[in-house]
Amino acid sequence: MYVCSCFGITEQQVRDHADSGACTPREIASACKAGTDCGNCVRRIQALLGRGSCPRRELVKNGAPDPLASEGRARGPQPVAEVAAVAPAVLSEAA
């Protein structure tokens, strides 16, 4: 069943991301964009994540590398300084 109709994300995909260490709706959004458009799916994502333990926190706490720190995951919002550094070049190209 689809959880996020904006991006076509299914319950199984949310569960897979959770199994990979995404413990919050924000981490799910970083992994697959679910919950970042209209927001109607955020409560469903919260329900799928439940209130159980977070395997990622436990792994990182015990010294394992953060599974969400890999290069392959979707990039979230950029820091303002990073956007500001690129903006002048982009604006000059547009002119």
Side-chain angles (χ1 to χ4, degrees), residues 17-28 46 49-69:
H17 288 300
D19 290 343
S20 296
C23 300
T24 66
R26 184 169 288 174
E27 290 171 346
I28 294 292
Q46 288 172 328
L49 294 174
R51 295 183 181 253
S53 65
C54 175
R56 180 174 148 253
R57 281 190 213 117
E58 294 301 317
L59 288 171
V60 172
K61 189 165 108 180
N62 293 328
D66 188 341
L68 293 181

Side-chain angles (χ1 to χ4, degrees), residues 2-10 13:
Y2 284 99
V3 172
C4 176
S5 57
C6 296
F7 294 103
I9 305 300
T10 64
Q13 288 172 299

Side-chain angles (χ1 to χ4, degrees), residues 8-95:
I9 305 300
T10 64
E11 287 182 5
Q12 187 57 50
Q13 288 172 299
V14 171
R15 287 188 187 101
D16 291 344
H17 288 300
D19 290 343
S20 296
C23 300
T24 66
R26 184 169 288 174
E27 290 171 346
I28 294 292
S30 292
C32 65
K33 293 188 176 185
T36 62
D37 195 23
C38 75
N40 285 333
C41 58
V42 173
R43 288 189 184 229
R44 181 68 185 139
I45 292 168
Q46 288 172 328
L48 287 169
L49 294 174
R51 295 183 181 253
S53 65
C54 175
R56 180 174 148 253
R57 281 190 213 117
E58 294 301 317
L59 288 171
V60 172
K61 189 165 108 180
N62 293 328
D66 188 341
L68 293 181
S70 68
E71 292 290 326
R73 75 180 183 132
R75 188 169 180 191
Q78 297 177 353
V80 172
E82 190 176 327
V83 172
V86 176
V90 173
L91 291 175
S92 66
E93 290 174 11

